[in-house]
């Protein structure tokens, strides 16, 4: 795993397309039970080198019901984006994650984490890549149908402050889905201690 993480962090496959240059973000450990698959790091994360070190990360930790200590404990939770580096700015926000990363590195990471119990898919890019035809017609419907993807996958919207409108429009997410998410996280982390 250490060699693999070192290879990922040294990756320069798409450096010509990255406005701030390569700085791959990933944390993983062979003991991890949960993987959080996000989109791609933003500029703040690119600067600090800490995944989810921004308002979205704060919101995500609240959704999961975990402390910073648990969230950043790579023996419990691996943080793996669809695109490992900041992709640049587009018209409506950041550009999509670079398409090279997931096919190049994800399976190798999964192979090094035999204890995986839960894969949290944040946003449309992760959901399309992993759920394929099983994904509903859009993100909202996919998140609403989260039970059909359990026990392995749990689809979520992006926790960006920009998604406040989505949260207001879909109160069922905080009322029904988040309690189930927290319960699933607790189950997985408790089996960690029990085994």
């Amino acid at each position: 795993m250490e060699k693999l993480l070192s290879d990922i962090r040294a990756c320069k496959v798409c450096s010509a397309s990255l406005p701030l240059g390569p700085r791959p973000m990933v944390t993983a450990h062979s003991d991890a039970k949960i993987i959080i698959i996000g989109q791609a790091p933003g500029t703040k994360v690119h600067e600090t080198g800490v995944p989810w070190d921004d308002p979205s990360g704060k919101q995500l930790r609240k959704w999961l019901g975990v402390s910073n200590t648990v969230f950043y404990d790579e023996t419990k939770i691996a943080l793996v984006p669809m695109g490992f580096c900041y992709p640049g700015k587009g018209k409506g926000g950041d550009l999509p994650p670079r398409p090279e990363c997931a096919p190049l590195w994800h399976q190798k990471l999964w192979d090094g984490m035999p204890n995986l119990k839960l894969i949290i898919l944040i946003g449309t890019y992760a959901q399309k890549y992993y759920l394929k035809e099983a994904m509903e017609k859009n993100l909202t419907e996919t998140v609403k149908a989260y039970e059909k993807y359990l026990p392995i996958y749990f689809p979520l919207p992006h926790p960006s402050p920009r998604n406040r409108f989505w949260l207001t429009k879909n109160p069922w997410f905080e009322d029904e889905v988040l309690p189930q998410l927290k319960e699933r996280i607790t189950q997985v982390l408790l089996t960690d201690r029990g085994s």
Side-chain angles (χ1 to χ4, degrees), residues 17 28 58 119 144 151 167 177 190 192:
S17 307
K58 200 172 184 179
I119 299 173
K144 203 178 261 188
L167 293 170
V177 178
L190 284 178
D192 193 18

Side-chain angles (χ1 to χ4, degrees), residues 111-130:
D111 292 345
M113 291 186 272
N115 302 314
L116 281 183
K117 299 273 185 274
L118 180 63
I119 299 173
I120 297 172
L121 302 170
I122 296 178
T124 307
Y125 295 107
Q127 289 162 22
K128 279 184 179 168
Y129 190 83
Y130 281 96

Side-chain angles (χ1 to χ4, degrees), residues 20-83:
L20 301 180
R23 188 172 192 190
M25 296 291 145
V26 59
T27 66
H29 190 279
S30 55
D31 293 338
K33 295 255 180 145
I34 298 170
I35 291 183
I36 296 173
I37 305 179
Q39 190 166 308
T43 51
K44 184 173 191 291
V45 169
H46 180 87
E47 284 167 28
T48 64
V50 180
W52 294 100
D53 178 28
D54 56 14
S56 297
K58 200 172 184 179
Q59 179 69 22
L60 177 59
R61 289 186 282 282
K62 199 189 295 184
W63 286 358
L64 302 173
V66 298
S67 65
N68 283 6
T69 307
V70 170
F71 186 80
Y72 287 112
D73 182 346
E74 61 215 22
T75 66
K76 291 179 171 47
I77 299 175
L79 305 173
V80 180
M82 287 300 293

Side-chain angles (χ1 to χ4, degrees), residues 114-178:
N115 302 314
L116 281 183
K117 299 273 185 274
L118 180 63
I119 299 173
I120 297 172
L121 302 170
I122 296 178
T124 307
Y125 295 107
Q127 289 162 22
K128 279 184 179 168
Y129 190 83
Y130 281 96
L131 302 178
K132 298 180 175 43
E133 297 79 36
M135 188 178 171
E136 297 292 326
K137 64 181 178 184
N138 58 38
L139 177 134
T140 301
E141 294 304 314
T142 303
V143 172
K144 203 178 261 188
Y146 74 94
E147 288 174 292
K148 95 176 197 182
Y149 308 110
L150 289 171
I152 298 298
Y153 295 111
F154 206 120
L156 295 178
H158 197 283
S160 165
R162 282 199 202 128
N163 276 350
R164 272 192 290 263
F165 177 69
W166 187 92
L167 293 170
T168 305
K169 205 173 150 198
N170 298 285
W172 52 265
F173 175 70
E174 291 188 310
D175 296 343
E176 299 161 33
V177 178
L178 288 186

